[in-house]
Amino acid sequence: MPTCTASTLSDPAADSQLDVAGDLLALLRRTTTEPRPDTQLEALTLAVAADLPVLLWGEPGIGKTAALTQLAEALDLPLTTVIASVHEPSDFSGLPVVGDDPAEQGVPMAPPDWAVRLVRAGRGLLFLDELSTAPPAVQAALLRLVLERRIGALRLPPGVRIVAAANPRASAADGWELSPPLANRFVHVQWAHDHEVVVRGLGGTWPRATLPRLDPGRLPQAVDFARRAVCGLLAARPGLVHRLPSGEARRGGPWPSPRSWEMTLRLIAFATAAGSSREVLSLLVRGTVGDGPGLELLASVDRMDLPDPELLLADPAGAELPERGDLRQAVLDAVVAAVRKQPDRSRWDAAWTLMVRAVESGAPDLVVVPATTLASLRRDDWDVPASIERLAGAVDVSRRADRAAARTAAAKAGR
């Protein structure tokens, strides 16, 4: 039987092979980044810039942890990862430490070492992983950390951002639904893999995470816009101020409350100041107050940017109509409503000019209803403007198409 000697335990050949293996591993880990449109990543960085806790939801293995690691490197923030499910409640609320005279000084709650390191650094990215596998007692202990940023007697400095990740309960190991109080403290972002991003990344190049560029000159207007958007919706829909979902699973996601509406207001202000796309804003708003209220708010925001119908009637030849069909329809309806409210021959003629511009630059079917309503407002002493002739053909074709579609649908229903 061979015996081990000192020379065989420290074989230079074996050591060199391990060094070569280490070099190969280092090459595999060496990647670069590139600017690339990525709605998920933009939404994440915007929420991080707004200093709001973010919760990434996604199936296991799709790159949530890798995205957070890359984000920390790109922002030059030290990353502190805490696996929530393997900690006790006292790890987040603090461990009691008995001093010399507890009757006089009380019993302080000592924070864990990772919290002390974050406070000493003054900045960092705190990553709470596997949140959906944390039992209810741990979730309760996390409430103060996520909302008040306190762990025991320590308070995290403003330079620390909080991001969490979770798997859906069906794919989580011993998963739990998130408690409603904890869920309502997060901006929920659905994280899914993009085939092109994965292929490009495995080839060595990943999307670059960058904080949004806020325009200093737009900050006051951004705050005013966000307040008008949220307050305008809630004034018209008071039932949306607080609506706790009935199902347990939905309570563990985004839902509207005064807290989440405040978070939404902040996100709109940041998105406006950064000039973020509607897709990014939609992802964040729906991830804060839920799909239903979020879509209502987005529709309200869209209409806030619509041109004033009085300005359009004052200069119909130079009017610019929205490209999106639903917004164009809303503008034309508003113009007709303005003429009905204050009927005047010149305003009626201007409205027809706008209808013609709408037909020439978009789908004619959008003009059918407002044009019909506008025609009904004609007074007997008002001459029909020549511009209507340019409109009649398109409207007639649209009406015939609608009637043909109705006949086809009726025939299918009768089979």
Side-chain angles (χ1 to χ4, degrees):
M1 181 176 180
T3 59
C4 293
T5 65
S7 59
T8 58
L9 288 176
S10 57
D11 185 357
D15 291 343
S16 63
Q17 284 302 308
L18 288 178
D19 292 338
V20 173
D23 293 340
L24 179 57
L25 292 173
L27 287 173
L28 288 170
R29 287 192 292 265
R30 187 179 301 169
T31 60
T32 60
T33 60
E34 64 179 358
R36 180 186 178 94
D38 190 317
T39 302
Q40 293 179 147
L41 197 55
E42 290 179 33
L44 172 59
T45 55
L46 186 70
V48 167
D51 197 14
L52 293 174
V54 187
L55 176 54
L56 305 182
W57 284 97
E59 298 295 335
I62 62 171
K64 300 186 295 296
T65 302
L68 263 296
T69 303
Q70 196 265 331
L71 175 64
E73 292 177 356
L75 303 182
D76 192 25
L77 292 175
L79 178 65
T80 299
T81 301
V82 177
I83 309 297
S85 58
V86 300
H87 284 267
E88 298 293 330
S90 57
D91 293 336
F92 300 106
S93 59
L95 295 166
V97 179
V98 179
D100 296 334
D101 193 351
E104 290 291 331
Q105 301 178 4
V107 178
M109 305 298 286
D113 61 336
W114 56 264
V116 174
R117 290 196 302 271
L118 279 172
V119 171
R120 286 176 178 170
R123 54 197 295 274
L125 185 65
L126 174 57
F127 179 32
L128 303 174
D129 203 2
E130 305 293 347
L131 203 62
S132 55
T133 60
V138 174
Q139 292 189 28
L142 283 168
L143 292 175
R144 197 173 184 219
L145 167 60
V146 175
L147 184 63
E148 301 178 23
R149 306 166 67 90
R150 287 189 176 275
I151 312 98
L154 283 184
R155 182 181 180 87
L156 294 180
V160 174
R161 299 296 193 262
I162 298 176
V163 181
N167 302 322
R169 183 175 181 179
S171 56
D174 295 326
W176 300 78
E177 297 290 357
L178 252 61
S179 67
L182 184 59
N184 198 237
R185 285 162 164 80
F186 281 103
V187 178
H188 299 250
V189 176
Q190 299 298 323
W191 201 263
H193 77 274
D194 182 291
H195 170 263
E196 293 184 2
V197 171
V198 172
V199 172
R200 184 89 173 139
L202 292 176
T205 305
W206 294 97
R208 182 177 303 153
T210 57
L211 289 177
R213 293 185 175 274
L214 304 176
D215 184 352
R218 299 179 63 182
L219 301 188
Q221 294 84 352
V223 172
D224 176 69
F225 181 82
R227 286 176 174 166
R228 287 190 293 115
V230 173
C231 295
L233 175 67
L234 297 184
R237 299 275 279 120
L240 293 180
V241 172
H242 188 277
R243 180 182 290 178
L244 181 64
S246 56
E248 181 185 5
R250 294 180 59 195
R251 290 183 178 186
W255 48 274
S257 72
R259 179 191 296 120
S260 58
W261 281 117
E262 182 181 5
M263 295 164 62
T264 301
L265 191 153
R266 188 187 300 188
L267 289 169
I268 294 176
F270 269 76
T272 304
S276 300
S277 67
R278 190 181 189 278
E279 290 73 18
V280 170
L281 181 60
S282 174
L283 193 65
L284 291 170
V285 167
R286 291 184 293 111
T288 307
V289 294
D291 285 338
L295 291 173
E296 286 196 46
L297 177 62
L298 291 169
S300 177
V301 167
D302 287 339
R303 281 161 174 74
M304 287 175 62
D305 287 331
L306 295 182
D308 187 339
E310 294 296 337
L311 295 178
L312 296 177
L313 290 171
D315 182 21
E320 293 187 6
L321 299 174
E323 293 293 332
R324 273 179 48 188
D326 58 333
L327 301 183
R328 177 170 291 208
Q329 181 85 63
V331 167
L332 295 177
D333 290 341
V335 166
V336 174
V339 175
R340 179 191 286 111
K341 184 177 180 180
Q342 188 180 341
D344 178 83
R345 169 64 190 275
S346 62
R347 291 163 61 83
W348 191 69
D349 289 345
W352 282 114
T353 302
L354 288 169
M355 298 296 166
V356 172
R357 286 181 62 83
V359 167
E360 293 176 344
S361 60
D365 57 318
L366 299 176
V367 184
V368 174
V369 173
T372 304
T373 307
L374 184 62
S376 68
L377 301 178
R378 176 178 177 267
R379 302 285 177 85
D380 293 337
D381 58 337
W382 292 356
D383 295 332
V384 177
S387 59
I388 292 183
E389 295 298 328
R390 301 163 62 187
L391 188 67
V395 172
D396 182 61
V397 169
S398 179
R399 284 178 171 171
R400 280 185 286 166
D402 289 342
R403 288 195 292 268
R407 288 194 299 270
T408 303
K412 289 182 178 180
R415 292 177 183 173

